[in-house]
């Protein structure tokens, strides 16, 4: 059965796209899995990293977009969904940069959003894994993503407000689980972009006290190779100077896979 993993947090800049992109590389290149990425963030960051490019001599590039875009999946009826093949070997349902159509989806009736999500089941069945990069909000698109998911991972960046944010996020996820999708597995919280500051230490301790069962064993520190690789749209482990970063992020990507596979046994 296809595993559909959402990367969710209503805050921006916590590592949703980073983990989604690197997990896509990891599953497809290192684990030989058939992977589809669904870019549900209207900013289109993941699309611009994964899509084929036309590069100019001065180093700038233009992405070449094709196939169905995410916003079209939620229109009344969509028969032919066409994926885009990316150079890295994964397929993508793309979102153009700052797509107004996808932002407008927030105004759609909740039932309509959720029903359209069900139409994707037959497409998803063609893949081992579908990875959904969620937008930074607790709105309709997040609900749609969670309704079509079998699993959800929450990347969290430590800060004074991290805990408040995490409680709101978990509440939303548990609500969707209870009302729409009892099969949704909450894999937990991945601490990302951490440093050794007092502030981060304090925030981590609060999370360890309040949501201990949700925390991943492996954490990811602030590592510039992660930023460089993700910005270039390449796996962290292909950078010559990125060993520590690669080891850390791969431990998390592997932990996600282990958790997904252990759900199967239960
Ligand atoms: N562990 C990390 N170390 C250094 N930079 C990181 C790390 N995780 C993410 N980043 C960078 O932080 C920025 C925000 O991450 P991103 O994945 O785009 O967040 P989100 O999708 O949640 O908005 C990006 O520029 C990304 O490359
Ligand atoms: Mg993002």
């Amino acid at each position: 059965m296809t595993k559909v993993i959402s990367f969710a947090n209503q805050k921006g800049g916590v590592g949703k796209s980073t983990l989604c992109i690197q997990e896509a590389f990891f599953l497809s290149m290192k684990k030989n899995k058939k992977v589809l990425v669904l870019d549900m963030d209207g900013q289109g960051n993941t699309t611009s990293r994964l899509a084929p490019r036309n590069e100019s001599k001065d180093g700038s590039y233009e992405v070449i977009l094709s196939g169905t875009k995410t916003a079209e999946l939620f229109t009344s009826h969509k028969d032919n969904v066409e994926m885009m093949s990316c150079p890295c070997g994964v397929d993508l349902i793309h979102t153009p940069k700052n797509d107004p159509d996808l932002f407008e989806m927030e105004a759609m009736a909740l039932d309509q959003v959720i029903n359209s999500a069900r139409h994707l089941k037959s497409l998803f069945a063609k893949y081992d894994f579908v990875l959904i990069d969620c937008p930074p909000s607790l709105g309709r698109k997040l609900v749609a993503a969670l309704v079509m998911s079998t699993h959800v991972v929450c990347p969290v960046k430590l800060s004074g407000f991290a805990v408040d944010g995490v409680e709101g996020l978990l509440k939303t996820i548990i609500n969707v689980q209870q009302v729409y999708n009892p099969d949704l597995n909450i894999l937990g919280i991945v601490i990302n972009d951490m440093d050794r500051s007092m502030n981060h230490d304090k925030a981590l301790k609060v999370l360890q006290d309040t949501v201990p069962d949700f925390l991943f064993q492996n954490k990811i520190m602030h590592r510039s190779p992660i930023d460089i690789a993700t910005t270039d749209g390449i796996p962290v482990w292909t950078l010559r100077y990125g060993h520590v970063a690669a080891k850390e992020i791969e431990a998390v990507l592997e932990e996600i896979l282990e958790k997904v596979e252990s759900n199967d046994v239960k």
Side-chain angles (χ1 to χ4, degrees), residues 122-182:
S122 58
L123 166 72
F124 284 5
K126 297 177 185 159
Y127 294 87
D128 299 315
F129 284 87
V130 177
L131 307 179
I132 306 180
D133 189 13
C134 296
S137 80
L138 294 177
R140 297 275 193 268
K141 287 188 289 264
L142 176 64
V143 175
L146 293 175
V147 168
M148 57 176 115
S149 294
T150 54
H151 299 83
V152 54
V153 178
C154 307
V156 166
K157 201 172 154 169
L158 296 172
S159 77
F161 299 113
V163 187
D164 300 347
V166 165
E167 278 173 351
L169 178 60
L170 289 176
K171 244 190 211 161
T172 302
I173 294 173
I174 291 166
N175 188 44
V176 172
Q177 195 184 39
Q178 286 172 346
V179 180
Y180 301 106
N181 186 3

Side-chain angles (χ1 to χ4, degrees), residues 79-117:
D79 274 338
N80 286 325
V81 179
E82 271 179 62
M83 294 76 59
M84 187 168 132
S85 301
C86 299
C88 65
V90 309
D91 287 348
L92 172 70
I93 295 185
H94 75 273
T95 290
K97 196 173 174 191
N98 297 323
D99 186 15
D101 296 343
L102 196 57
F103 286 110
E104 269 172 30
M105 220 192 91
E106 289 302 326
M108 281 168 64
L110 191 55
D111 282 357
Q112 192 183 343
V113 174
I114 288 163
N115 280 330
S116 337

Side-chain angles (χ1 to χ4, degrees), residues 9 11-19 41 43 45-46 49 133-134 136 155 157 192-194 220-228 230-231 248-249:
N9 189 324
K11 293 192 178 176
V14 297
K16 292 181 291 296
S17 302
T18 301
L19 274 185
D41 185 357
Q43 295 170 96
N45 292 337
T46 291
R49 302 304 180 257
D133 189 13
C134 296
K157 201 172 154 169
N192 179 37
D193 210 3
M194 187 178 148
I220 306 167
M221 302 298 290
H222 178 78
R223 306 272 178 212
S224 52
I226 294 180
D227 187 33
I228 293 165
T230 304
T231 306
E248 256 173 36
I249 201 163

